[in-house]
């Protein structure tokens, strides 16, 4: 019976193999895998193996291989029919062909050996095939590794190869072309089904290609194998004989191995299917149109290299190989030739295969390019690596050979863009591409199209590059004056670039190369004098930061430090400032063309020398506009120690390594980046996740630690490794390994400086790339993203939000939004699974109970509970939306939960004895108590999962008391969670019920939670073996604006850092329960924090703005000398009455300690005492005589006249503050004086209006709860209220009589968001969120005469408006940051110009009150302050005729520049080329500034950003407008 099953299975296998090509071409495995899983044909492990493949074809091949293996091993005759049945629904044509073939009578009993199990080179039953394969060729090597994907691709191409067509396998020397061809033919099924008439192989080679006699000899051998009785007497005669012979064998294959000349192809073009291996694909031009190319650009994978080592050296397992074997693979990038050569060398020393010293000897020979030490291989045709390469190079013409030798300039692993070669060779783009295409076809260069630039990028294999450099050394001269050939080559490149930019270093071309590798070429050319001239040039620094980022500049500054500094102490100070400046603003400048590096240096007072250089540059350009920050004080803000720019938004960060110099960043695109703090650069990228990385956890492993089977049959790590874990929205957890030695090597590489040239002239370290960009580990330039993880766990049903290693590293707990899994890192086996739902329970007795179900919680955090002394983890801690949950790992039915906070939980931070929970609004500390259970568990017959009774909510929630019962033994019990009751012990684990009091503020939506005894809140689980209790003992309220979004804690659990929704970090001392302070961080959403385990004062923060910042919190100021200003301020400019004396700003600020400060320009002059009620708005009269402020409780206060004397600590407070009114019932939103400072208008948040005349209540007015967005005074003693939101309204009221003019009710236009009025008060413009602009015509005595709606093309809401003084322009600011300039022509406005710079909404627009240099200036305020000219500048380009150019040459005059002439009239300001309308911009320290105030000359500006930093800006060299 078993023999019948085996026969049946064999027939099924034969059937599948016969249709394998069609199945692979058409099948999408994702459509049938669910059915195969349901029918138990596939396991989840099989599914993972299939999903690991990249393409659909590869996945189909893997599926068929798995099915064949299962069928062969299990002899299951039902397995393959189930697979065929799965094709019936969506692949009926495949199903039909398979079922019809099954019924064919001639298919019965046919048996074709599988490709894997039946080797045609070894099996005696295929002796005839073996003879045919030996027709002048070579046998497949006895020891070889099959590159499955390449072999399968080759077989697929062979199956579709027709008569007269060619399949060309192209690759450089030693890439394994010949072995690949023979392995592809090592298939009995392929030969019998596709080439039943035989396969004939000829080994051509270099000598035979160059010799007609040699080629004739090969033709005679082939004729003999084809049983042709006549011998060829010439090449033409031989071709004719072979053509006739192959006409009798229409299904034969001719293999030509190692062809060098097109003459060989022409002579052997005999009309049969032909496979050719060659380095030079141009030889196939003689048969153009009949060729299919298959390039072999990549080397062995790591597993393939190790497998070849294992087979060659007779190791039992790959794991037994020394670590140096892997290092050899990475050093040679898996070159088959190098791996084969080293294997053959070990075969001569069989007793030393375990000698670590010999492995290291060969590794060092590769690392130091001593290829003469690697010269022997009895299986290879060339003696050494260089011998193999020289054959290809020598075949070039002299001119092209010289071009090729120029590649000795470049470094290993560095792609060379086409524009670089254009500069080097002084050729046009298309000439360069033609030359490079010749090299590509000869397998001397790899070519790929840049994914974002429209040019080609070229790379050279490291072996070929070393050959070129070796040839340069061989041609070196003894004359030191002329320098070495390599030095002269580098000098030529430098000279070409300097000529290109005319020695303006900031004008070097943006070619993705020179800004990265300029330092390397300067060093190799020995042009040391240029180092300080270039690297201390502020404009060059700006361009390098913009194009390649801060990491590259920092590496160059450290690597070439001695050449830049020399013996100059001032240079030493300057380079230190450049490094600090780069670390501070490098990430801001990166990729931003509109940010001026001179302006950035001017606004950083911490760098005196750099600021001095910037000032010199600014003063040397009279037609450029620059801001000077008057009175800038670096103590106002906190700077990061460094910033690292990542490739996408950052979701999680984690310190790694023992030095504290590296961290991992998980990004939105699924990438994980290993970054270096010293260089601020990315040193490695880990790819594998397809969606956002949510969490990273690390585990330090040791040689004796566990190993886990991973993807591609790899294991997690090896000796001395760091293992880390990541989770993602793609529903997977992944384990990764990183060598500690990699981190240490990168740290050493980035920290080391170059010594002087004479010390390194013979060292290979000079060839190391100074670029921090991730180096290639394969031969291709732009690699396809592949999964580089060691193991993937994919049994979650949704996005995985959090995961954590157990202390031993043997388990991982991970959770998605609705399930918790604990799994083994050894084999991925699930150890614990729970998908609970919680409820709030009220039990009146044990016999009767009611249960109120609550919505299922959303899991957010998971942690293992602290291990016991026996290294046993009895429970896990879960944070849900607002609950803290305990789960027993030993009894899945035992769980308990407590509603820990009133708002969502942000973080759960676990220590040995404490747990810190952070919600969006507060922080709680919980004490952990645990021990052995002393009771007998009594189970209840209720729902298996219940929550601890809920805390009552402020809306009158249903929190209820827990009833206590007494059992038969008199032991008091109280209701708990899970399938049990917990004994009550008030003196030990349980406390009395909580006493909560909610205190409401004036707004019903706001409340604060006051807990009379916060320690009463507790949660406990008791399994009968042990109990764990968490008791809340302290609550720390939030002290800053915004909501908490992330948190981190130091290793000693003393310092807590919390990130807020307004991009601030708040620091708390948990031991003292103190708030230490806060500081501003990123410009984007703050996502994650992490403290260093090496230096507890070092903090990482990651943001959606693509940056990770490093903060030193040790020096964080706990108490400030001056309170921090709020963004709520008022300022007026007061002109001086004294001739030749400028006026000054008088400014009024509210502070974070609820005081009011007064400034004269940048000098503090007075400050109030701390006020009881919170200040909401401040206001100054236009003359600066009156100052008022409003409060949260609806009060309006008047301050006495402010003195202009400087601030004094002895007399620092203002006199008595006068309460003007308490008439408004809610907080004051708006306070504004009329132009004459006679009337004061106050408006509350509910629309109540109070008019005060000379600070006495005049009358009240109600706007029916309308939202007032602004006030205007169109006529004398008249005020207009602009009401927004859904009820748009414009009443105009007489301030004396309260009589209303005709207003405007614009409900049809939607929400009004902003307004502005013309200088002559004849027109009021209203901006809306959806319906464009409404222009209201005003007339005294009438009010609103008419209104006109103007539609805009922009969909973004209008948020700011401004008329020019002559009303000829209307500036419109949108929420997306766009500014549109509307011009008045005829009788209406139309869009004329767009101004693009801002990334977020425009908060204010302000026109200059007069024309400056015949131009109209506009200031925009938002995420930065920008100055524009709304008149398009005309670029004055000098034009010359033909004869004028001839006369210029004869006279010897210099050539006129084609650039824009900057010889403009004095007072005219222009922007940079490409954006002339942008005069300049000033970047705030915070996220944005709300509004700006200008002086009368429009040369000074004052504002405050959202972090409270005060700016008094002055335009440098501003020319008087008169």
């Amino acid at each position: 019976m078993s023999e019948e099953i085996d026969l049946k299975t064999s027939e099924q296998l034969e059937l599948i193999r016969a249709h394998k090509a069609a199945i692979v071409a058409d099948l999408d495995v994702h459509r049938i895998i669910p059915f195969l899983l349901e029918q138990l044909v596939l396991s989840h492990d099989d599914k993972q193996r299939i999903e690991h493949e990249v393409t659909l074809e590869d996945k189909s091949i893997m599926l068929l291989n798995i099915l064949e293996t299962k069928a062969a091993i299990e002899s299951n005759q039902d397995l393959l029919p189930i697979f065929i049945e799965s094709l019936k629904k969506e692949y009926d044509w495949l199903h039909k062909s398979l079922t019809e073939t099954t019924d064919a009578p001639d298919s019965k009993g046919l048996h074709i050996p599988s490709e894997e199990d039946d080797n045609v080179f070894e099996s005696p039953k295929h002796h005839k095939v073996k003879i045919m394969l030996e027709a002048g060729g070579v046998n497949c090597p006895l020891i070889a590794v099959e590159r499955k994907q390449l072999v399968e691709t080759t077989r697929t191409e062979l199956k579709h190869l027709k008569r007269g067509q060619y399949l060309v396998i192209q690759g450089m020397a030693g890439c394994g072309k010949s072995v690949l061809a023979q392995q592809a033919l090592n298939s009995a099924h392929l030969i019998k089904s596709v080439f039943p008439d035989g396969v004939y192989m000829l080994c051509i080679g270099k000598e035979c290609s160059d010799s007609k006699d040699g080629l004739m000899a090969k033709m005679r051998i082939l004729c003999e194998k084809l049983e042709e009785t006549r011998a060829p007497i010439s090449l033409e005669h031989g071709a004719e004989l072979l053509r006739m012979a192959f006409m009798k064998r229409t299904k034969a294959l001719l293999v030509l191995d190692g062809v060098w000349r097109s003459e060989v192809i022409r002579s052997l073009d005999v009309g049969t299917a032909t496979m050719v291996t060659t380095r030079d694909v141009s030889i196939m031009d003689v048969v153009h149109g009949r060729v299919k190319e298959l390039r072999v650009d990549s080397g062995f994978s790591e597993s393939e290299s190790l497998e070849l080592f294992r087979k060659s050296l007779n190791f039992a397992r790959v794991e037994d190989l020394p670590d140096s074997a892997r290092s050899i693979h990475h050093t040679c990038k898996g070159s088959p030739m190098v791996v084969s050569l080293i294997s053959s060398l070990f075969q001569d020393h069989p007793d030393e295969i375990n000698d670590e010293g010999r492995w290291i000897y060969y590794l060092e020979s590769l690392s130091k390019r001593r290829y003469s030490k690697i010269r022997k291989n009895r299986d290879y045709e060339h003696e050494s690596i260089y011998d193999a390469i020289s054959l290809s190079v020598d075949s070039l013409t002299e001119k092209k050979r010289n071009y090729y030798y120029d590649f000795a300039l470049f470094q290993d692993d560095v792609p060379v863009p086409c524009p670089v070669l254009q500069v080097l060779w002084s050729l046009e783009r298309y000439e360069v591409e033609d030359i490079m295409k010749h090299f590509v076809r000869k397998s001397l260069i790899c070519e790929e199209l840049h994914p974002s630039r429209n040019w080609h990028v070229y790379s050279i294999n490291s072996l070929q590059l070393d050959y070129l450099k070796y040839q340069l050394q061989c041609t070196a001269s003894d004359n030191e004056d002329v320098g070495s050939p390599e030095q002269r080559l580098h000098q030529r490149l430098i000279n070409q670039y300097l000529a290109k930019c005319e020695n303006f270093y900031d004008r070097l071309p943006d070619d993705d190369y020179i800004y990265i590798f300029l330092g390397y070429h300067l060093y190799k050319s020995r042009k040391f004098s240029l180092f300080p001239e270039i690297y201390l040039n502020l404009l060059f620094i700006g361009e390098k930061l913009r194009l390649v980022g801060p990491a590259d500049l920092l590496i160059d500054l450290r690597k070439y430090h001695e050449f830049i500094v020399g013996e100059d102490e001032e240079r030493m100070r300057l380079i230190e400032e450049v490094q600090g400046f780069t670390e501070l603003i490098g990430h801001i400048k990166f990729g931003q063309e509109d940010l001026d590096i001179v302006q950035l240096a001017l606004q950083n007072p911490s760098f005196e020398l750099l600021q001095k250089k910037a000032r010199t540059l600014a003063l040397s350009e009279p037609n450029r506009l620059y801001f000077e920050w008057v009175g800038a004080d670096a103590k106002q803000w906190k700077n990061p120690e460094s910033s690292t720019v990542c490739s996408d938004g950052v979701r999680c960060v984690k310190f790694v390594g023992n030095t504290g110099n590296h961290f991992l960043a998980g990004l939105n695109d699924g990438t994980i980046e290993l970054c270096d703090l010293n260089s601020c650069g990315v040193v490695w990228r880990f790819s594998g996740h397809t969606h956002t990385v949510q969490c990273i956890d690390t585990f330090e492993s040791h040689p004796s630690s566990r190993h886990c089977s991973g993807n591609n049959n790899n294991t997690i790590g090896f000796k001395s490794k760091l293992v880390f874990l990541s989770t993602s929205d793609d529903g997977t957890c992944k384990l990764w390994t990183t060598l500690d030695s990699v981190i240490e090597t990168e740290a050493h590489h980035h920290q080391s400086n170059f010594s002087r040239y004479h010390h390194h002239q013979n060292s290979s370290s000079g060839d190391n790339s100074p670029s921090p960009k991730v180096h290639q580990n394969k031969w291709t330039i732009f690699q396809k993203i592949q999964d580089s993880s060691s193991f993937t766990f994919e049994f979650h049903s949704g996005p995985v939000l959090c995961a954590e290693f157990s202390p031993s590293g043997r388990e991982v707990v991970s959770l998605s939004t609705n399930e918790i899994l604990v799994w083994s890192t050894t084999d991925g086996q699930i150890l614990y699974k729970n998908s609970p739902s919680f409820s709030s329970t009220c039990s009146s007795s044990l016999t009767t109970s009611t249960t109120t179900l609550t919505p299922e919680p959303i899991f957010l955090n998971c942690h293992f509970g602290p291990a016991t002394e026996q290294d046993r983890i009895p429970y896990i801690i879960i944070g849900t939306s607002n609950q803290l949950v305990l789960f027993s790992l030993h009894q899945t039915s035992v769980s308990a939960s407590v509603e820990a906070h009133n708002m969502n939980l942000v973080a759960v931070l676990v220590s040995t004895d404490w747990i810190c929970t952070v919600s969006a609004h507060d922080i709680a500390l919980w004490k952990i108590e645990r021990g052995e259970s002393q009771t007998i568990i009594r189970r209840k017959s209720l729902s298996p999962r219940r929550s601890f009774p809920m805390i009552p909510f402020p809306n009158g929630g249903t929190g209820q008391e827990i009833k206590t019962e007494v059992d038969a033994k008199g032991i008091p019990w109280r209701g708990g969670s899970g399938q049990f009751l917990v004994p009550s012990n008030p003196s030990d684990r349980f406390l009395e019920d909580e006493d909560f009091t909610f205190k409401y503020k004036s707004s019903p939506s706001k409340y604060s939670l006051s807990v009379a005894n916060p320690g009463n809140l507790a949660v406990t689980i008791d399994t009968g073996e042990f109990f764990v209790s968490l008791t809340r003992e302290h609550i720390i309220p939030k002290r800053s604006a915004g909501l908490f979004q992330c948190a981190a804690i130091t290793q000693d659990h003393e310092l807590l850092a919390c990130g807020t929704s307004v991009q601030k970090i708040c620091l708390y001392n948990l031991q003292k329960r103190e708030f230490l302070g806060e500081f501003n961080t990123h410009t984007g959403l703050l996502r994650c924090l992490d403290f260093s385990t090496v230096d507890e004062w070092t903090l990482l923060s990651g943001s959606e703005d693509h940056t990770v910042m490093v903060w030193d919190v040790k020096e964080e100021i706990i108490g400030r000398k001056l309170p921090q200003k709020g963004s709520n301020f008022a300022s007026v400019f007061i002109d001086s009455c004294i001739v030749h004396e400028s006026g000054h700003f008088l400014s009024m600020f509210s502070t974070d300690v609820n005081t009011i400060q007064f400034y004269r320009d940048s000098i503090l002059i007075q400050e109030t005492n701390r006020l009881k009620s919170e200040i909401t708005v401040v206001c100054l009269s236009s003359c600066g005589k009156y100052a008022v402020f409003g409060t949260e409780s609806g009060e309006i206060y008047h301050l006495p006249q402010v003195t202009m004397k400087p601030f004094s600590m002895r007399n620092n407070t203002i006199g008595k503050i006068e309460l003007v009114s308490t008439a408004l019932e809610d907080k004051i939103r708006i306070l504004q004086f009329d132009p004459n400072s006679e009337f004061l208008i106050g408006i509350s948040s509910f629309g109540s209006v109070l008019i005060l005349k000379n600070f006495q209540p005049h009358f009240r007015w109600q706007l029916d709860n309308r939202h007032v967005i602004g006030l205007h005074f169109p006529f004398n003693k008249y005020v207009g209220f602009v009401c927004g939101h859904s009820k748009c309204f414009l009443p105009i009221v007489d301030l004396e009589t309260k009589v209303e003019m005709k207003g405007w009710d614009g409900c049809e236009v939607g929400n009004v968001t902003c307004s502005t009025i013309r200088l002559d008060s004849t027109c009021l413009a209203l901006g809306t969120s959806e319906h464009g602009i409404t222009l209201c015509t005003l007339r005294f005595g009438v009010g609103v005469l008419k209104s006109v709606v103007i539609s805009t093309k922009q969909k973004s809401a209008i948020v700011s408006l401004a008329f020019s003084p002559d009303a000829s322009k209307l500036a419109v600011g949108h929420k997306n940051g766009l500014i549109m300039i509307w011009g008045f022509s005829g009788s209406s406005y139309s869009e004329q110009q767009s101004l693009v710079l801002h990334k977020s909404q425009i908060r204010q627009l302000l026109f200059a009150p007069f024309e400056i240099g015949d131009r109209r200036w506009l200031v925009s305020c938002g995420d930065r302050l920008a100055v524009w000219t709304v008149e398009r500048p005309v670029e004055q380009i000098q034009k010359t005729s033909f004869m004028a150019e001839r006369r210029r040459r004869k006279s010897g005059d210099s050539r006129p520049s084609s650039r824009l002439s900057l010889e403009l009239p004095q007072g005219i300001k222009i922007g940079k080329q490409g954006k002339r309308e942008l005069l300049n911009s000033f970047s705030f320290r915070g996220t944005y500034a709300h509004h700006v105030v200008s002086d009368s000359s429009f040369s000074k500006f004052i504002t405050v950003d959202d972090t409270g930093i005060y700016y008094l800006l002055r335009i440098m060299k501003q020319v008087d407008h008169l």
Side-chain angles (χ1 to χ4, degrees), residues 170-172 175 279 295-299 404 407 414-418 421 436-450 456-462 464 776 778-782:
Q170 179 201 5
M172 63 165 284
C175 69
R279 304 184 191 183
R295 291 184 59 89
V296 184
D297 285 333
S298 61
Y404 189 64
F407 272 83
V414 176
V416 182
C418 182
L421 302 176
M436 296 308 298
K437 183 62 70 175
H438 184 76
F439 296 151
V440 170
R441 303 191 76 186
K442 288 186 174 295
S443 301
L444 294 172
I445 292 290
C446 290
E447 173 192 67
E448 292 189 44
L449 188 66
H450 196 289
H456 286 91
V457 180
Y458 306 99
S459 66
I460 184 170
N461 183 266
S462 57
Q464 295 167 320
Q776 298 167 231
K778 291 189 178 181
W779 296 350
T780 54
I781 303 171
F782 304 108

Side-chain angles (χ1 to χ4, degrees), residues 132 158 161-165 191 194-200 226 245-255 271-275:
M132 287 188 287
L158 286 173
L161 196 65
K162 298 179 181 178
R163 291 193 64 201
Q165 291 184 341
I191 294 173
V194 183
F195 307 112
D197 290 334
V199 177
Y200 301 87
L226 291 169
F246 278 111
M247 288 181 66
K248 303 174 185 177
R249 298 169 175 83
T250 57
K251 293 187 176 181
L253 175 69
L254 175 61
V255 182
T272 188
T274 308
M275 180 165 62

Side-chain angles (χ1 to χ4, degrees), residues 262-301:
S262 58
E263 289 78 6
V264 176
I265 301 300
R266 186 181 291 111
S267 300
L268 292 175
D269 184 17
V270 293
T272 188
T274 308
M275 180 165 62
V276 179
T277 68
T278 182
R279 304 184 191 183
D280 184 3
V281 76
S282 64
I283 63 172
M284 306 304 299
D285 290 344
V286 296
V287 289
H288 181 69
R290 294 185 282 146
V291 180
K292 295 181 179 179
E293 295 184 19
L294 178 63
R295 291 184 59 89
V296 184
D297 285 333
S298 61
F300 284 151
S301 64

Side-chain angles (χ1 to χ4, degrees), residues 1183-1201:
C1183 62
K1185 184 177 180 180
Y1186 305 114
V1188 294
F1189 66 89
T1191 67
E1192 181 82 20
S1193 56
E1195 300 164 336
I1196 300 175
Y1197 289 89
H1198 172 223
L1199 291 97
Q1201 187 171 1

Side-chain angles (χ1 to χ4, degrees), residues 98-213:
L98 289 170
T99 52
E100 286 179 352
T101 308
T102 305
D103 299 332
D106 57 350
S107 66
K108 183 178 179 67
L110 179 63
H111 177 72
I112 299 178
S114 69
E115 299 172 7
E116 292 79 5
D117 300 334
D118 196 341
N119 190 312
V120 299
F121 292 106
E122 299 174 1
S123 177
K125 67 197 309 183
H126 298 291
H127 182 69
K128 181 179 179 181
V129 175
K130 182 177 179 182
I131 294 297
M132 287 188 287
L133 289 175
E134 289 179 344
V138 292
N139 288 332
C140 194
L142 295 177
I143 299 176
V145 175
E146 184 177 283
R147 292 191 266 184
K148 294 183 180 179
Q149 186 170 358
L150 280 174
V151 169
E152 192 61 38
T153 302
T154 307
R155 288 174 178 170
T156 302
E157 294 293 342
L158 286 173
K159 291 174 183 177
H160 296 90
L161 196 65
K162 298 179 181 178
R163 291 193 64 201
Q165 291 184 341
Y166 289 82
L167 174 62
V168 180
I169 301 178
Q170 179 201 5
M172 63 165 284
C175 69
K177 303 182 293 295
S178 300
V179 176
L180 173 62
Q182 295 168 54
Q183 288 177 334
L185 296 172
N186 188 15
S187 167
H189 171 67
L190 174 69
I191 294 173
K192 284 193 173 185
S193 60
V194 183
F195 307 112
D197 290 334
V199 177
Y200 301 87
M201 177 177 284
L202 291 177
C203 182
I204 305 298
K206 182 79 166 64
E207 294 181 0
C208 183
S209 297
D210 294 337
S211 169
K212 290 185 177 181
D213 294 337

Side-chain angles (χ1 to χ4, degrees), residues 1194-1336:
E1195 300 164 336
I1196 300 175
Y1197 289 89
H1198 172 223
L1199 291 97
Q1201 187 171 1
V1202 179
T1203 178
M1204 293 294 113
K1205 295 180 180 179
F1207 179 81
S1208 170
M1209 294 299 296
R1210 290 174 297 178
N1211 185 23
N1212 64 339
T1213 59
I1214 298 177
K1216 184 178 179 181
I1217 300 174
E1218 180 183 353
L1219 176 63
V1220 176
S1221 173
T1222 59
L1224 298 179
E1225 70 284 356
D1226 195 37
K1227 71 175 181 179
I1228 309 297
R1229 288 190 59 255
I1230 297 176
L1231 279 177
Q1232 191 168 338
F1233 284 99
D1234 76 318
N1236 300 320
S1237 302
E1238 181 182 0
F1239 292 94
L1240 174 66
I1241 297 94
I1243 304 175
S1244 74
S1245 58
F1246 288 158
S1248 298
V1249 181
L1250 175 64
I1251 310 294
L1252 296 101
K1253 182 176 182 181
N1254 297 323
F1255 298 105
Q1256 298 299 321
H1258 188 50
F1259 64 84
R1260 287 191 58 175
W1261 196 45
Q1262 184 63 40
L1263 291 173
D1264 298 329
N1265 292 328
R1266 294 177 186 265
H1267 180 70
V1268 180
I1269 64 171
L1271 301 177
H1272 296 284
F1273 298 91
F1275 315 116
N1276 185 31
K1277 296 186 179 181
Y1278 277 86
V1279 62
F1281 300 90
V1282 180
C1283 303
H1285 290 318
S1286 59
K1287 297 180 180 180
C1288 304
F1289 188 50
L1290 178 61
I1292 300 177
V1293 181
D1294 188 334
L1295 292 173
E1296 288 283 6
T1297 64
K1298 197 182 175 182
V1299 175
E1300 288 189 45
M1301 288 187 182
K1302 179 183 177 182
W1304 169 80
D1305 193 347
C1307 295
E1308 71 279 0
V1309 302
N1311 294 339
V1312 173
T1313 56
C1314 57
S1315 64
T1316 187
I1317 193 168
R1318 280 177 54 162
L1319 196 60
D1320 58 5
S1321 299
T1322 60
C1323 183
L1324 180 70
L1326 305 173
T1328 65
S1329 58
E1330 298 177 356
H1331 297 86
I1333 304 167
T1334 299
L1335 298 178
C1336 298

Side-chain angles (χ1 to χ4, degrees), residues 813-977:
V813 58
S814 58
L815 61 79
S816 60
T817 55
N818 61 351
E819 63 184 350
I820 309 160
L821 299 178
V822 178
W823 46 278
S824 170
T825 57
T826 304
D827 53 12
Q829 181 181 357
I830 297 176
L831 307 176
Y832 174 91
K833 181 176 182 179
N834 211 330
S835 300
S837 60
F838 298 99
S839 60
S840 178
T841 305
C842 172
S843 301
S844 59
S845 67
L846 289 179
T847 57
T848 61
S849 64
T850 60
T851 300
T852 303
L853 296 179
T854 61
E856 291 191 3
I858 299 176
F859 297 150
L860 300 175
N861 308 99
C862 61
H863 300 274
F864 284 104
T868 61
E869 295 180 358
Q870 295 79 20
D871 193 28
R872 184 184 182 191
I873 304 173
Y875 63 100
I876 53 178
I877 303 168
I878 304 297
T880 70
S881 302
N882 62 346
Q883 293 181 340
L884 196 62
V885 190
L886 301 181
F887 285 97
S888 168
L889 291 178
H890 306 299
Q891 295 188 31
T892 57
S893 62
V894 176
S895 63
S897 67
V898 63
E899 194 159 335
H901 295 271
N902 289 312
M903 298 188 72
N904 285 347
L905 269 176
V906 171
V908 178
L909 307 167
V910 181
S911 65
T912 305
D913 299 315
W914 289 87
I915 291 178
C916 175
T917 57
V918 180
S919 76
H921 211 55
D922 56 11
I923 303 162
L925 298 178
W926 305 71
K927 187 176 181 180
I928 303 176
E929 294 183 279
R930 50 182 171 259
E932 295 183 0
S933 178
Q934 303 295 324
T935 63
I936 301 174
I937 299 301
R938 297 173 53 188
R939 301 187 179 276
K940 296 169 59 179
S941 58
L942 299 175
S943 173
R945 300 180 180 93
R946 296 181 180 85
S947 69
F948 200 83
M950 300 174 61
I951 302 172
F953 279 99
N955 59 0
T958 58
Q960 303 180 37
E961 294 182 351
I962 301 176
K963 302 297 182 180
T964 304
E965 298 259 322
V966 179
D967 67 358
K969 297 183 179 180
I971 300 176
W973 293 82
R974 66 186 300 172
S977 300

